[in-house]
Amino acid sequence: IAGITQAPTSQILAAGRRMTLRCTQDMRHNAMYWYRQDLGLGLRLIHYSNTAGTTGKGEVPDGYSVSRANTDDFPLTLASAVPSQTSVYFCASSEVVAGEQFFGPGTRLTVL
Amino acid sequence: GQNIDQPTEMTATEGAIVQINCTYQTSGFNGLFWYQQHAGEAPTFLSYNVLDGLEEKGRFSSFLSRSKGYSYLLLKELQMKDSASYLCAVLDSNYQLIWGAGTKLIIKP
């Protein structure tokens, strides 16, 4: 069982380019989340999905979009990357909304 | 606003006990989580408290006082592999996790 996988592991991106970070879970969890983690700051929620077909905005949604077409996949898209989006991005999932969250290995994104 | 406070860094000796404190001010409270995060890795779940009191799980214990907006994580018989960051997170009224910046724990032999 893989749990949660993320791709790519790392990426260097030119400002203004479009980028999709992929996240897949095989635990049949209902809820999924995207966070960014920056040095000295706590994890910040970008977008979430409580169940397939629904999504919601977190604390820092601007510049990002998500979709949840099925239970397993929750891609995060940066429409036009900016340097302030340089960060480590973690995808997570939980069986229920208030439950323990399981994290993917992260994607290290650098926007130049 | 919502706020989670933890010490930035702590140092302890192998075999000793360390207590990592967390204070919070959030819009609502539906539970408090502690996660461990080794450098360069993803956070992993350690404990969950929703009622006041102490929850013990092996060498790790977590305490909660809702009236004081306070929790601590207690690590006993410290091992070198316990060197990591420890993240406190509160589930708010919208059932979203609000995260502290984490406490980096350094274990010395």
Side-chain angles (χ1 to χ4, degrees):
Chain A
I1 296 176
I4 300 184
T5 58
Q6 292 184 236
T9 302
S10 65
Q11 182 75 44
I12 300 174
L13 189 66
R17 298 296 295 268
R18 180 183 180 90
M19 175 75 193
T20 295
L21 308 185
R22 300 184 298 279
C23 174
T24 300
Q25 53 106 356
D26 64 2
M27 298 176 284
R28 308 302 293 170
H29 283 177
N30 287 307
M32 296 188 75
Y33 316 85
W34 273 106
Y35 292 95
R36 59 179 289 172
Q37 187 174 40
D38 301 290
L39 200 63
L41 299 177
L43 287 160
R44 292 183 290 170
L45 182 66
I46 304 171
H47 285 286
Y48 64 92
S49 170
N50 289 340
T51 189
T54 70
T55 62
K57 294 181 179 181
E59 179 187 355
V60 288
D62 293 344
Y64 306 95
S65 63
V66 292
S67 61
R68 185 90 184 278
N70 56 60
T71 297
D72 299 344
D73 301 300
F74 191 43
L76 176 74
T77 297
L78 288 68
S80 179
V82 295
S84 62
Q85 292 178 311
T86 293
S87 187
V88 179
Y89 291 85
F90 286 104
C91 179
S93 72
S94 60
E95 187 173 1
V96 294
V97 168
E100 168 193 350
Q101 293 185 13
F102 295 81
F103 285 78
T107 294
R108 183 173 296 276
L109 181 68
T110 302
V111 183
L112 300 175
Chain B
Q2 308 204 85
N3 196 46
I4 311 279
D5 284 320
Q6 312 177 228
T8 302
E9 187 175 295
M10 299 181 70
T11 302
T13 304
E14 190 177 15
I17 299 173
V18 70
Q19 178 175 311
I20 302 174
N21 296 325
C22 170
T23 58
Y24 62 88
Q25 291 179 307
T26 56
S27 58
F29 178 86
N30 284 298
L32 186 145
F33 292 80
W34 284 97
Y35 282 76
Q36 180 189 60
Q37 186 177 24
H38 285 100
E41 297 183 7
T44 55
F45 170 80
L46 286 177
S47 68
Y48 171 68
N49 296 69
V50 67
L51 300 176
D52 289 351
L54 189 68
E55 295 278 343
E56 296 186 82
K57 191 187 295 186
R59 293 189 298 114
F60 292 9
S61 302
S62 57
F63 171 83
L64 175 67
S65 168
R66 289 172 296 171
S67 63
K68 295 182 180 179
Y70 168 70
S71 173
Y72 68 73
L73 181 68
L74 191 71
L75 292 74
K76 304 176 185 177
E77 301 169 13
L78 286 170
Q79 302 175 9
M80 297 304 293
K81 68 179 181 180
D82 297 330
S83 292
S85 289
Y86 292 85
L87 314 181
C88 174
V90 171
L91 204 57
D92 72 6
S93 57
N94 294 319
Y95 290 93
Q96 291 185 6
L97 274 179
I98 308 301
W99 296 80
T103 298
K104 182 178 180 181
L105 179 63
I106 300 168
I107 309 295
K108 296 185 175 181

